[in-house]
Each structure stands twice: as C-alpha cells, then as structure tokens.
Amino acid sequence: MITRTPHNFHSRLRGVTFVEMIVTIAIVSIVMIGSSIFFVRMWRLHGFTIETAIASMTAQRGVSEAVESIRRARTAQDGSLPIAVAEEHHFAFYEDVDYDGKVERVRYFVENGRFRRGVTKPVIASNGVVTYPAADDTVRDVANYIVNETANMPTFTYYGADDKAFAYDDLATSRLPANAPLGMIRMVKVLLYVNPDAVRAPNHVRIQSFAVIRNLAIYDNAQP
C-alpha cells in the first residue's frame, strides 16, 4: 500500500530562504545597534550627571569654607586693615587660621577654572617688623570646573558703608563700586558658577553665600 504525503506537509518542512535570513539578520542588527547607541548615550549622560553633582558639592563646600574664613577676618599682624585685596576674582584678607595667635594672610581667587586658597604665614624679624612674603604663599585647589571668568560673572561682590552701623536690608543700595575703599567693605558675596562641560550643558550650576565680617559689622545676617 502506497501512502501519499500531503503537499502542504512539505511546505511546512521547507527551510528558511536566504532572503528571509538576510532580513532577519538586518532587523536584529538594527535593534542591537539602536540599543547600543541608547545605552552608550544613557551611560554618558549618567556619568556627566554624576560628575556635575560631585563638582557642585565640592564647590558648595568650598564656598562654605571661604565664607566661614572671611567672617573671621581681623587686623593683620603688622597692623594692616583686615582686607588686603578686593577684586572681582581675588579677595585677600587676614585671619588667624590655626588659632596660634599669629595672623596669616589668606586669599581666595579663581584661576584657570579653579577656585583656590592661598595662605601666607607672617614672618617676624628680630626687630619686630612683620612681613608676609609672597614666595611663602601656600596654595591649594578648593573647587574645579569654575566658569566665572568665561561667563563674565564676578566671584566676589562687596557691600558696605562708611561706618560700622552697616544696614543691608536692600543689597542693591549697599553694593560697593569697584573702586570703593577697602575700609568700607562690611560684607562679601561669594558666587561660583560650576560646569564640567559648558559645551554639553550650557546652563551653569550657581552657588553663592554671604559673609559678614564680624569685626567690621554689627550685624551677622544677610538676605540672599
């Protein structure tokens, strides 16, 4: 007895054609490439976000450190005024950094995208003359990725009056011009703009705080 195999059974058993295989491979390849690009972009975005967060936290600590230091400004070891330099990106003053009774010269400044701190210890000669040699300035980085200079934004802004009864209910009226005498300064605003990659993220992270110099002003609060 001869058994005939139905025609449609052979149709179900036939293999995948070359064209179908090529199409399948193409579809899988497109999906894999798209997924790879997506994951790479997500990874880069995630890395940039983390980098920005770390840079911002570091800058925040740096601003807090600077503000606390500026608040303690006092007369220099040689009798000079508490404030030595007051520029847009450079502020120098005197403070007893290590509480040893000797007043150091401290400066904060922005240089090449870095917020930096320099400390110079006083040198007291045998005749009692006190100097602060610039060559002895010990500098360290406080924060990186600072774009104040390229963004044309001042790192330091100064407020004050010509007497110790300094009122700053309106910061706009108490802001000092660039050529104001150092003796008028009562308060300093420290402002940092942080951006690890200004090309990828044009919006900078803004960090600021106010420091009232306790030995020069009778108040110790500020409106942001």
Side-chain angles (χ1 to χ4, degrees):
M1 180 178 179
I2 300 175
T3 304
R4 295 180 178 271
T5 303
H7 177 71
N8 60 354
F9 180 76
H10 286 288
S11 299
R12 290 196 299 270
L13 293 181
R14 68 182 180 84
V16 179
T17 65
F18 180 75
V19 174
E20 291 173 332
M21 182 177 65
I22 293 299
V23 172
T24 303
I25 293 175
I27 294 174
V28 173
S29 299
I30 293 172
V31 172
M32 291 181 64
I33 293 173
S35 300
S36 300
I37 294 174
F38 173 77
F39 284 117
V40 168
R41 288 182 176 178
M42 289 298 296
W43 178 258
R44 289 178 178 175
L45 177 61
H46 181 66
F48 178 73
T49 302
I50 293 177
E51 187 178 24
T52 301
I54 293 174
S56 300
M57 287 188 295
T58 302
Q60 180 65 64
R61 288 197 299 266
V63 169
S64 298
E65 173 194 304
V67 165
E68 288 302 316
S69 187
I70 293 170
R71 285 174 177 168
R72 296 191 294 266
R74 52 178 296 180
T75 303
Q77 194 80 25
D78 61 359
S80 300
L81 292 173
I83 298 173
V85 178
E87 299 174 353
E88 277 194 344
H89 303 293
H90 182 194
F91 182 60
F93 56 98
Y94 297 96
E95 177 202 358
D96 185 0
V97 175
D98 46 13
Y99 303 99
D100 62 352
K102 297 180 181 180
V103 182
E104 288 82 9
R105 186 179 190 271
V106 181
R107 64 190 187 109
Y108 283 91
F109 59 100
V110 172
E111 182 181 58
N112 298 326
R114 295 173 294 173
F115 186 50
R116 314 191 77 192
R117 181 178 192 256
V119 177
T120 304
K121 291 185 174 295
V123 175
I124 305 175
S126 57
N127 59 359
V129 176
V130 179
T131 58
Y132 291 90
D136 294 342
D137 188 26
T138 303
V139 178
R140 65 176 175 85
D141 292 344
V142 178
N144 295 314
Y145 305 114
I146 307 302
V147 296
N148 288 56
E149 292 177 305
T150 56
N152 196 29
M153 293 299 297
T155 305
F156 302 101
T157 305
Y158 307 99
Y159 304 83
D162 56 2
D163 56 23
K164 287 193 174 181
F166 168 53
Y168 42 76
D169 292 334
D170 185 358
L171 293 181
T173 60
S174 60
R175 179 172 177 173
L176 296 174
N179 59 350
L182 298 178
M184 294 180 63
I185 298 175
R186 299 290 181 267
M187 182 175 69
V188 181
K189 180 176 75 173
V190 184
L191 170 64
L192 294 182
Y193 282 94
V194 184
N195 197 333
D197 191 341
V199 176
R200 294 176 59 188
N203 296 324
H204 313 312
V205 178
R206 186 174 185 268
I207 300 171
Q208 75 171 26
S209 187
F210 291 86
V212 176
I213 301 174
R214 295 190 176 109
N215 290 325
L216 299 180
I218 62 175
Y219 305 105
D220 191 21
N221 55 64
Q223 296 178 359

